[in-house]
Short mmCIF file of all heavy atoms in Angstrom, two decimals:
data_model
loop_
_atom_site.label_atom_id
_atom_site.label_comp_id
_atom_site.label_asym_id
_atom_site.label_seq_id
_atom_site.Cartn_x
_atom_site.Cartn_y
_atom_site.Cartn_z
N LEU A 1 45.09 -48.87 28.80
CA LEU A 1 46.39 -48.17 28.66
C LEU A 1 47.14 -48.51 27.44
O LEU A 1 47.50 -47.72 26.59
CB LEU A 1 47.21 -48.35 29.87
CG LEU A 1 48.67 -47.64 29.87
CD1 LEU A 1 48.53 -46.15 29.90
CD2 LEU A 1 49.47 -48.32 31.03
N LEU A 2 47.24 -49.84 27.23
CA LEU A 2 48.01 -50.37 26.11
C LEU A 2 47.39 -50.24 24.80
O LEU A 2 48.00 -50.17 23.70
CB LEU A 2 48.45 -51.87 26.29
CG LEU A 2 49.26 -52.19 27.51
CD1 LEU A 2 49.45 -53.78 27.59
CD2 LEU A 2 50.58 -51.48 27.41
N SER A 3 46.05 -50.02 24.84
CA SER A 3 45.32 -49.75 23.64
C SER A 3 45.10 -48.22 23.29
O SER A 3 44.46 -47.96 22.36
CB SER A 3 43.84 -50.50 23.75
OG SER A 3 43.97 -51.82 24.15
N GLU A 4 45.58 -47.49 24.30
CA GLU A 4 45.41 -46.03 24.17
C GLU A 4 43.97 -45.59 24.16
O GLU A 4 43.58 -44.73 23.37
CB GLU A 4 46.21 -45.42 22.93
CG GLU A 4 47.68 -45.72 23.03
CD GLU A 4 48.50 -45.00 21.89
OE1 GLU A 4 48.60 -45.62 20.75
OE2 GLU A 4 48.97 -43.92 22.17
N GLY A 5 43.19 -46.21 25.00
CA GLY A 5 41.80 -45.95 25.20
C GLY A 5 41.64 -45.27 26.62
O GLY A 5 42.61 -44.89 27.26
N HIS A 6 40.30 -45.15 26.91
CA HIS A 6 39.91 -44.53 28.27
C HIS A 6 38.86 -45.35 28.89
O HIS A 6 38.26 -46.12 28.25
CB HIS A 6 39.51 -43.06 27.95
CG HIS A 6 40.33 -42.20 27.15
ND1 HIS A 6 41.52 -41.68 27.64
CD2 HIS A 6 40.37 -41.89 25.82
CE1 HIS A 6 42.12 -41.02 26.65
NE2 HIS A 6 41.46 -41.11 25.60
N VAL A 7 38.71 -45.11 30.27
CA VAL A 7 38.00 -45.97 31.10
C VAL A 7 36.98 -45.08 31.83
O VAL A 7 37.26 -44.10 32.42
CB VAL A 7 38.92 -46.76 32.03
CG1 VAL A 7 38.08 -47.60 32.99
CG2 VAL A 7 39.90 -47.60 31.24
N LEU A 8 35.83 -45.73 31.94
CA LEU A 8 34.70 -45.11 32.87
C LEU A 8 34.45 -46.16 33.97
O LEU A 8 34.17 -47.32 33.71
CB LEU A 8 33.40 -44.94 32.13
CG LEU A 8 32.29 -44.41 32.83
CD1 LEU A 8 32.49 -43.01 33.46
CD2 LEU A 8 30.88 -44.37 32.02
N ILE A 9 34.62 -45.66 35.18
CA ILE A 9 34.52 -46.65 36.36
C ILE A 9 33.24 -46.18 37.05
O ILE A 9 33.11 -45.03 37.48
CB ILE A 9 35.74 -46.64 37.36
CG1 ILE A 9 36.97 -47.05 36.63
CG2 ILE A 9 35.40 -47.46 38.54
CD1 ILE A 9 38.15 -47.12 37.51
N GLU A 10 32.36 -47.19 37.20
CA GLU A 10 31.06 -46.88 37.97
C GLU A 10 31.09 -47.73 39.23
O GLU A 10 31.36 -48.88 39.33
CB GLU A 10 29.94 -47.37 37.02
CG GLU A 10 28.56 -46.92 37.72
CD GLU A 10 27.39 -47.21 36.79
OE1 GLU A 10 26.94 -48.38 36.68
OE2 GLU A 10 26.90 -46.26 36.08
N GLY A 11 30.81 -47.01 40.40
CA GLY A 11 30.80 -47.54 41.59
C GLY A 11 30.39 -46.54 42.75
O GLY A 11 30.65 -45.47 42.58
N ILE A 12 29.85 -47.16 43.79
CA ILE A 12 29.43 -46.30 44.88
C ILE A 12 30.74 -45.81 45.65
O ILE A 12 31.78 -46.29 45.41
CB ILE A 12 28.46 -47.09 45.90
CG1 ILE A 12 29.31 -48.27 46.58
CG2 ILE A 12 27.25 -47.44 45.25
CD1 ILE A 12 28.67 -48.82 47.66
N PRO A 13 30.57 -44.76 46.46
CA PRO A 13 31.72 -44.27 47.26
C PRO A 13 32.27 -45.31 48.18
O PRO A 13 31.56 -46.08 48.68
CB PRO A 13 31.10 -43.05 47.97
CG PRO A 13 29.94 -42.63 47.19
CD PRO A 13 29.36 -43.82 46.65
N GLY A 14 33.58 -45.25 48.23
CA GLY A 14 34.18 -46.11 49.24
C GLY A 14 34.69 -47.42 48.71
O GLY A 14 35.07 -48.29 49.57
N VAL A 15 34.79 -47.76 47.37
CA VAL A 15 35.05 -49.04 46.82
C VAL A 15 36.48 -48.88 46.21
O VAL A 15 36.85 -49.79 45.42
CB VAL A 15 34.03 -49.58 45.94
CG1 VAL A 15 32.71 -50.03 46.62
CG2 VAL A 15 33.77 -48.59 44.76
N ALA A 16 37.15 -47.95 46.57
CA ALA A 16 38.71 -47.82 46.15
C ALA A 16 38.83 -47.31 44.81
O ALA A 16 39.90 -47.59 44.17
CB ALA A 16 39.40 -48.98 46.51
N LYS A 17 37.95 -46.59 44.16
CA LYS A 17 38.12 -46.20 42.78
C LYS A 17 39.42 -45.22 42.70
O LYS A 17 40.19 -45.48 41.79
CB LYS A 17 36.81 -45.39 42.28
CG LYS A 17 35.60 -46.25 42.31
CD LYS A 17 34.43 -45.55 41.60
CE LYS A 17 34.10 -44.25 42.37
NZ LYS A 17 33.47 -44.69 43.65
N THR A 18 39.48 -44.31 43.52
CA THR A 18 40.65 -43.39 43.52
C THR A 18 41.88 -43.96 43.92
O THR A 18 42.95 -43.80 43.27
CB THR A 18 40.25 -42.08 44.49
OG1 THR A 18 39.05 -41.56 44.07
CG2 THR A 18 41.46 -41.16 44.39
N THR A 19 41.86 -44.85 44.95
CA THR A 19 43.01 -45.59 45.39
C THR A 19 43.55 -46.45 44.23
O THR A 19 44.80 -46.49 43.95
CB THR A 19 42.69 -46.48 46.47
OG1 THR A 19 42.20 -45.66 47.56
CG2 THR A 19 43.98 -47.21 47.05
N ILE A 20 42.72 -47.10 43.50
CA ILE A 20 43.15 -48.00 42.40
C ILE A 20 43.88 -47.09 41.27
O ILE A 20 44.89 -47.42 40.81
CB ILE A 20 41.94 -48.66 41.84
CG1 ILE A 20 41.44 -49.86 42.81
CG2 ILE A 20 42.43 -49.43 40.50
CD1 ILE A 20 40.18 -50.50 42.34
N ALA A 21 43.13 -46.01 40.93
CA ALA A 21 43.84 -45.16 39.88
C ALA A 21 45.11 -44.53 40.24
O ALA A 21 46.18 -44.58 39.46
CB ALA A 21 42.78 -43.96 39.60
N LYS A 22 45.29 -44.13 41.49
CA LYS A 22 46.65 -43.64 41.93
C LYS A 22 47.61 -44.70 42.02
O LYS A 22 48.82 -44.42 41.53
CB LYS A 22 46.40 -43.00 43.43
CG LYS A 22 45.67 -41.73 43.32
CD LYS A 22 45.64 -41.18 44.86
CE LYS A 22 45.08 -39.84 44.85
NZ LYS A 22 44.96 -39.22 46.24
N ALA A 23 47.33 -45.89 42.53
CA ALA A 23 48.34 -47.02 42.63
C ALA A 23 48.69 -47.41 41.20
O ALA A 23 49.84 -47.74 40.96
CB ALA A 23 47.78 -48.17 43.58
N PHE A 24 47.70 -47.52 40.39
CA PHE A 24 48.05 -47.94 39.02
C PHE A 24 48.95 -46.92 38.23
O PHE A 24 49.96 -47.49 37.70
CB PHE A 24 46.72 -48.09 38.18
CG PHE A 24 46.78 -48.41 36.69
CD1 PHE A 24 47.10 -49.71 36.44
CD2 PHE A 24 46.72 -47.54 35.76
CE1 PHE A 24 47.24 -50.15 35.18
CE2 PHE A 24 46.81 -47.92 34.45
CZ PHE A 24 47.10 -49.19 34.13
N SER A 25 48.60 -45.70 38.42
CA SER A 25 49.53 -44.63 37.72
C SER A 25 50.92 -44.70 38.35
O SER A 25 51.98 -44.55 37.55
CB SER A 25 48.94 -43.32 37.78
OG SER A 25 48.85 -42.83 39.00
N ARG A 26 51.01 -44.92 39.57
CA ARG A 26 52.30 -44.92 40.36
C ARG A 26 53.22 -46.17 39.79
O ARG A 26 54.29 -46.06 39.56
CB ARG A 26 52.16 -44.95 41.80
CG ARG A 26 53.32 -44.96 42.62
CD ARG A 26 54.30 -43.83 42.38
NE ARG A 26 55.57 -43.88 43.22
CZ ARG A 26 56.62 -43.06 42.89
NH1 ARG A 26 56.57 -42.31 42.00
NH2 ARG A 26 57.67 -43.23 43.61
N ALA A 27 52.46 -47.25 39.70
CA ALA A 27 53.12 -48.57 39.27
C ALA A 27 53.67 -48.52 37.87
O ALA A 27 54.72 -49.09 37.59
CB ALA A 27 52.20 -49.68 39.47
N ILE A 28 53.06 -47.68 37.02
CA ILE A 28 53.55 -47.69 35.63
C ILE A 28 54.50 -46.32 35.44
O ILE A 28 54.80 -46.10 34.30
CB ILE A 28 52.41 -47.71 34.60
CG1 ILE A 28 51.39 -46.58 34.92
CG2 ILE A 28 51.66 -49.06 34.69
CD1 ILE A 28 50.22 -46.51 34.00
N GLY A 29 54.77 -45.65 36.58
CA GLY A 29 55.65 -44.64 36.49
C GLY A 29 55.28 -43.40 35.74
O GLY A 29 56.09 -42.69 35.08
N LEU A 30 53.99 -43.13 35.65
CA LEU A 30 53.36 -42.03 34.80
C LEU A 30 52.92 -40.87 35.84
O LEU A 30 52.53 -41.10 36.90
CB LEU A 30 52.25 -42.38 33.93
CG LEU A 30 52.56 -43.55 32.96
CD1 LEU A 30 51.37 -43.90 32.18
CD2 LEU A 30 53.59 -43.01 32.01
N SER A 31 52.95 -39.62 35.22
CA SER A 31 52.35 -38.62 35.90
C SER A 31 50.85 -38.73 36.13
O SER A 31 50.18 -39.21 35.28
CB SER A 31 52.69 -37.10 35.28
OG SER A 31 52.06 -37.25 33.86
N PHE A 32 50.39 -38.14 37.23
CA PHE A 32 49.02 -38.41 37.56
C PHE A 32 48.44 -37.10 38.07
O PHE A 32 48.99 -36.32 38.78
CB PHE A 32 48.87 -39.42 38.75
CG PHE A 32 47.55 -39.61 39.36
CD1 PHE A 32 46.64 -40.49 38.76
CD2 PHE A 32 47.14 -38.88 40.48
CE1 PHE A 32 45.35 -40.61 39.33
CE2 PHE A 32 45.80 -39.03 41.01
CZ PHE A 32 45.01 -39.92 40.41
N SER A 33 47.12 -36.80 37.59
CA SER A 33 46.45 -35.62 38.18
C SER A 33 45.00 -36.03 38.45
O SER A 33 44.48 -36.87 37.78
CB SER A 33 46.48 -34.39 37.25
OG SER A 33 45.68 -34.72 36.11
N ARG A 34 44.42 -35.32 39.34
CA ARG A 34 42.91 -35.72 39.72
C ARG A 34 42.14 -34.43 39.63
O ARG A 34 42.50 -33.37 40.10
CB ARG A 34 42.87 -36.15 41.27
CG ARG A 34 41.39 -36.44 41.73
CD ARG A 34 41.35 -36.82 43.13
NE ARG A 34 40.03 -37.00 43.65
CZ ARG A 34 39.68 -37.29 44.75
NH1 ARG A 34 40.65 -37.51 45.71
NH2 ARG A 34 38.35 -37.47 45.19
N ILE A 35 41.06 -34.56 38.90
CA ILE A 35 40.15 -33.43 38.72
C ILE A 35 38.77 -33.80 39.46
O ILE A 35 38.08 -34.72 39.03
CB ILE A 35 39.92 -33.18 37.27
CG1 ILE A 35 41.16 -32.83 36.50
CG2 ILE A 35 38.89 -31.94 37.06
CD1 ILE A 35 40.93 -32.93 34.97
N GLN A 36 38.49 -33.11 40.53
CA GLN A 36 37.19 -33.32 41.19
C GLN A 36 36.09 -32.54 40.52
O GLN A 36 36.07 -31.16 40.65
CB GLN A 36 37.33 -32.89 42.63
CG GLN A 36 36.08 -33.26 43.53
CD GLN A 36 35.82 -34.73 43.49
OE1 GLN A 36 36.69 -35.44 43.95
NE2 GLN A 36 34.50 -35.05 43.18
N LEU A 37 35.30 -33.12 39.77
CA LEU A 37 34.35 -32.40 38.89
C LEU A 37 33.23 -32.02 39.71
O LEU A 37 32.60 -32.76 40.54
CB LEU A 37 33.91 -33.31 37.77
CG LEU A 37 35.00 -33.41 36.62
CD1 LEU A 37 34.98 -34.82 36.09
CD2 LEU A 37 34.82 -32.37 35.65
N THR A 38 32.78 -30.71 39.57
CA THR A 38 31.63 -30.18 40.32
C THR A 38 30.81 -29.31 39.43
O THR A 38 31.25 -28.95 38.23
CB THR A 38 32.03 -29.15 41.46
OG1 THR A 38 33.03 -28.22 40.96
CG2 THR A 38 32.92 -30.09 42.50
N PRO A 39 29.59 -29.00 39.76
CA PRO A 39 28.75 -28.15 38.78
C PRO A 39 29.29 -26.77 38.49
O PRO A 39 28.91 -26.34 37.29
CB PRO A 39 27.36 -28.07 39.63
CG PRO A 39 27.36 -29.27 40.51
CD PRO A 39 28.74 -29.42 40.94
N ASP A 40 30.09 -26.24 39.29
CA ASP A 40 30.69 -24.78 38.97
C ASP A 40 32.02 -24.90 38.25
O ASP A 40 32.60 -23.81 37.96
CB ASP A 40 30.72 -24.03 40.24
CG ASP A 40 31.73 -24.68 41.20
OD1 ASP A 40 32.08 -25.94 41.13
OD2 ASP A 40 32.09 -24.02 42.27
#
């Protein structure tokens, strides 16, 4: 965030990837959106 870069998180389902992202964005007071990517 401070370097104005982007992050790729790799992990199996259920290890709190989404929870971490939401909590992180909330703590730094920024707007947040989630895109569930699918083939269509």
Side-chain angles (χ1 to χ4, degrees):
L1 174 70
L2 296 180
S3 306
E4 297 189 277
H6 306 286
V7 178
L8 178 64
I9 298 180
E10 187 175 79
I12 63 171
V15 291
K17 299 188 295 292
T18 303
T19 302
I20 291 170
K22 286 183 176 179
F24 179 77
S25 64
R26 179 63 180 162
I28 54 181
L30 297 180
S31 60
F32 174 84
S33 71
R34 176 183 178 183
I35 306 171
Q36 184 64 53
L37 290 145
T38 55
D40 60 346

